[in-house]
Amino acid sequence: MAPSADSALTLCRSYAFSFLVIAYVLFILLGGAVFMVLEQPEERALVAEVRELRANFLERHPCVEDSGLDALLRKILSAGKRGVSEEDGEEDNFDFTSSLFFVTTFLTTTGYGTTIPLSDVGRVFCILYCLVGIPLTLLLLSCLTHALLPRVTHAPIRYLQLYWGLSHNRAALLYCGVLAVCTATLFFLLPAVALCLLERDWSFLESLYYCFISLSTIGLGDYLPGRTHSRAARQGLEFATSCYLVLGLVVLLVVVESFWQLQQVQALVRLFVGARVSELMGVGLDELVLGGHSGAQVSSEEPQYTLPISTISHPVPAAHTSASVEETSTLETPHAASCEITASLTVHPEGITDSPDQPTN
């Protein structure tokens, strides 16, 4: 039973990554099937409602042509997808505050999609700006995360070890759990409550959905605060949302990095990618290159001998060696025996041989 169990465990470890890929593909297929079952009836009901409204409008207004109404609706829908609305003449999607909000959303890769560049020059500038801005944003977020980890994560875990007497693993698990609860409260639940109070037509679930979609950088754009308020209120909410996105992303990166350093997570990674690969994940390319060169240099150098337990003596005359052996034979201590061995050995260029007073064939 034991050999078969070991072989089964070895087989699972060998094909763990393949199992992970297959499970992920099945997970994607499951998600698609669930969304199809849940959303397809709602979509069909909405399409039927729109068609009914269109038919009633044409019936009440016989002077309106069918093709003209369809062209008007397509134009309005196209403008709405670009963030342009004709309902309020005061609304401007590219004033300074709205443009700053737009820049923040695509630099953080959230991209709600409610505001997009309308001109070709604007699209070209957006591409060039993103090519520089997105890597710069990722660099800044990474630096902030690594600067905050020693103070936000490592110091509290060390405190739990010293003053609570917990092991490092238990202290890290406890702290990560507390950190996750605090993050969910401060950056998801409380903002959702605030949005419920600001946006009267939003439910708590819709507000929580907006917070999750925003901080996970999905940014579908189906919900956006401030669209039903005045221009000043909308600008204030856009500025608050920009700050919320940047601060929330930094906090989430710290939380994810804290969980990534858990022993259980690292063991799971080693299970799927192998122990050797997981060890190299933390080694930089410069360390690998320098390590290879240093190893070659060490191998090419002459071997460096250190002083061993029994010192190897230089070649001595035979008479002196015999006298030394006779003197050491009178001592009956372990040290005397080691001295006798020392005196009877000599070093030649070919290696270590017996002393000259011993006959050799």
Side-chain angles (χ1 to χ4, degrees):
M1 294 297 293
S4 60
D6 293 340
S7 60
L9 182 60
T10 303
L11 180 64
C12 292
R13 289 178 177 176
S14 302
Y15 294 96
F17 183 75
S18 302
F19 293 154
L20 178 62
V21 173
I22 295 173
Y24 186 74
V25 173
L26 294 177
F27 183 74
I28 293 177
L29 296 177
L30 176 63
V34 171
F35 274 110
M36 181 186 67
V37 173
L38 294 178
E39 300 299 328
Q40 197 173 53
E42 297 290 335
E43 179 188 11
R44 291 176 178 176
L46 183 60
V47 170
E49 182 182 357
V50 171
R51 288 177 178 175
E52 183 180 357
L53 290 175
R54 177 178 174 277
N56 293 335
F57 180 84
L58 291 176
E59 184 179 354
R60 291 194 302 267
H61 303 83
C63 60
V64 178
E65 296 182 358
D66 191 359
S67 59
L69 179 61
D70 290 341
L72 175 63
L73 292 177
R74 283 194 297 268
K75 190 64 176 180
I76 293 176
L77 291 176
S78 176
K81 291 180 180 179
R82 296 180 174 219
V84 178
S85 176
E86 44 79 31
E87 294 180 359
D88 188 1
E90 295 182 356
E91 184 175 357
D92 190 359
N93 289 326
F94 282 100
D95 56 11
F96 179 74
T97 306
S98 300
S99 300
L100 185 64
F101 173 69
F102 170 67
V103 169
T104 305
T105 55
F106 71 69
L107 284 183
T108 57
T109 67
T110 304
Y112 291 110
T114 55
T115 303
I116 60 176
L118 302 178
S119 62
D120 292 337
V121 178
R123 296 187 184 97
V124 173
F125 176 76
C126 183
I127 293 174
L128 299 177
Y129 192 80
C130 287
L131 287 177
V132 178
I134 292 179
L136 184 61
T137 303
L138 295 178
L139 176 62
L140 175 63
L141 293 177
S142 178
C143 293
L144 287 175
T145 302
H146 286 83
L148 291 174
L149 271 177
R151 299 173 178 84
V152 178
T153 300
H154 299 162
I157 292 177
R158 192 178 304 111
Y159 178 85
L160 293 175
Q161 288 183 265
L162 295 178
Y163 295 97
W164 287 31
L166 299 177
S167 63
H168 178 77
N169 187 26
R170 291 187 177 182
L173 284 174
L174 176 61
Y175 177 76
C176 287
V178 174
L179 184 63
V181 172
C182 293
T183 303
T185 303
L186 295 177
F187 288 90
F188 290 96
L189 299 180
L190 292 182
V193 173
L195 285 175
C196 283
L197 298 178
L198 293 174
E199 301 289 339
R200 297 296 182 179
D201 55 342
W202 286 19
S203 65
F204 176 77
L205 179 60
E206 291 172 335
S207 302
L208 183 62
Y209 165 80
Y210 167 76
C211 294
F212 177 79
I213 290 297
S214 299
L215 289 186
S216 60
T217 68
I218 298 174
L220 296 178
D222 47 351
Y223 289 92
L224 200 62
R227 294 303 178 186
T228 59
H229 295 273
S230 63
R231 181 176 181 178
R234 178 176 62 86
Q235 290 177 347
L237 286 175
E238 287 176 347
F239 179 76
T241 304
S242 302
C243 299
Y244 170 73
L245 287 176
V246 176
L247 182 60
L249 285 179
V250 173
V251 173
L252 285 184
L253 287 175
V254 171
V255 173
V256 170
E257 187 66 25
S258 300
F259 273 89
W260 179 259
Q261 294 179 1
L262 290 176
Q263 295 181 4
Q264 289 79 4
V265 177
Q266 294 299 317
L268 187 63
V269 173
R270 286 194 297 271
L271 174 63
F272 289 112
V273 303
R276 180 59 180 169
V277 177
S278 63
E279 291 175 0
L280 293 178
M281 288 172 63
V283 180
L285 181 61
D286 54 346
E287 297 179 13
L288 290 176
V289 175
L290 291 177
H293 286 305
S294 62
Q297 291 176 358
V298 170
S299 61
S300 62
E301 293 178 356
E302 294 294 332
Q304 302 294 327
Y305 295 103
T306 58
L307 188 64
I309 298 178
S310 59
T311 305
I312 302 177
S313 61
H314 295 282
V316 293
H320 187 274
T321 304
S322 301
S324 177
V325 172
E326 290 178 359
E327 291 178 359
T328 55
S329 63
T330 58
L331 300 178
E332 298 178 358
T333 60
H335 178 68
S338 64
C339 292
E340 181 178 357
I341 297 175
T342 300
S344 61
L345 295 178
T346 59
V347 178
H348 293 282
E350 304 82 47
I352 302 173
T353 61
D354 295 333
S355 58
D357 61 317
Q358 294 182 0
T360 56
N361 296 327

